[in-house]
Amino acid sequence: MGLAPPDDAAVYQVTPDTAVVLTVDFFAPLVDDPYDFGAIAAANAMSDVYAMGGEVALALNVAAFPEDMPEEVVARVLEGGADKVAEAGGVLAGGHTIIDREPKYGLCVMGFVHPQKVLTKAGARPGDRLVLTKPVGTGIVTTAARNGEAWPHHLRAAVGWMKVLNRHAMHLARQLQAHAVTDITGFGLMGHAWEIAEQSNVRLRIWASRVPVLPGALEYARKGIFPGGGHRNLSYYGPRVDVSPQVTEEVRLLMFDPQTSGGLLMAVPESLPSLPAGEHLWEIGDVVEGEGVELLP
Ligand code: CO
Ligand code: CO
């Protein structure tokens, strides 16, 4: 399982009650602070294990650093990653670093899941409720910061959310008996929602006004700040999403904004009485018969 592109990670059954979950992800810095960069890259890499319902066991650093990069900066990146792996309850067992002009960092992550308890994108059913666990807008806010146009407190909020592990969100998905789960990353909320619709043969309806948004993201989108990956998402997923004419342009952009270390999107049974209080859970829509994604105001 998991060897096809739409899955979040590869899953390999070892015994009747144990399967290995394997994934790798790394990228160039999206924030200036080396510790935050390391922590975000690690949380992002481990997210695909959680999206499949696994727990992190083992991780390896995958890194590239310029020859003249100060040693203490390199150490801070690796420290940020190591702290996140420790928080996940995993073991960081070395890794591989090469010399490159542009720094890059991430992890190869191995986790475990019970073969009968793998969470996939394929199980959403008409009637299910859609729940999201983090606000969107990290692509827009970090792009604004790179342009020198973001307020520091807006960037701090985005960084704080990107560093949050999806581990507890996965525990909540189990508790809520989720039928389908994925993590929101590069394809944006609309792209990943479409993957669930496609894999489950259903239609997802999402109300934009119910989607949690990072502070500042709408303001920057209104100024036309939108990352390159967002334009690619618009051209690929745009035709697959029916956007209500009442949705404003900046809100529409935000729904396609590529996320780094975004939250989990899950389809949970409608019969659940109410979502547990005090958790980061936003009910943003539902599942109906049909295909594709509908974005409502
Ligand atoms: Co994923
Ligand atoms: Co938990």
Side-chain angles (χ1 to χ4, degrees), residues 74-226:
V74 172
R76 286 296 281 167
V77 173
L78 299 177
E79 198 183 328
D83 283 353
K84 277 292 147 185
V85 175
E87 184 189 331
V91 174
L92 189 59
H96 187 68
T97 304
I98 60 163
I99 293 170
D100 195 6
R101 264 182 308 181
E102 187 186 39
K104 291 168 198 81
Y105 176 69
L107 298 173
C108 176
V109 189
M110 192 204 82
F112 288 116
V113 66
H114 190 288
Q116 257 69 60
K117 291 179 181 169
V118 177
L119 301 171
T120 73
K121 302 173 188 179
R125 303 169 203 171
D128 284 353
R129 294 147 65 178
L130 295 173
V131 174
L132 181 66
T133 68
K134 286 188 192 182
V136 297
T138 63
I140 290 169
V141 173
T142 55
T143 301
R146 259 198 305 273
N147 297 351
E149 290 181 76
W151 290 99
H153 65 286
H154 289 163
L155 180 62
R156 270 200 302 278
V159 167
W161 278 106
M162 287 188 285
K163 282 159 73 170
V164 172
L165 290 179
N166 278 333
R167 186 185 194 192
H168 184 60
M170 183 270 286
H171 297 160
L172 290 170
R174 290 230 179 279
Q175 190 186 324
L176 298 172
Q177 298 161 36
H179 291 148
V181 175
T182 194
D183 60 335
I184 306 302
T185 52
F187 302 148
L189 179 60
M190 290 298 107
H192 292 286
W194 182 79
E195 288 185 325
I196 288 185
E198 183 74 0
Q199 296 294 305
S200 302
N201 290 307
V202 293
R203 182 171 177 82
L204 267 55
R205 298 194 300 183
I206 290 173
W207 278 265
S209 55
R210 300 184 195 167
V211 176
V213 173
L214 283 174
L218 274 172
E219 178 184 329
Y220 303 132
R222 216 170 286 136
K223 287 188 189 166
I225 297 170
F226 196 53

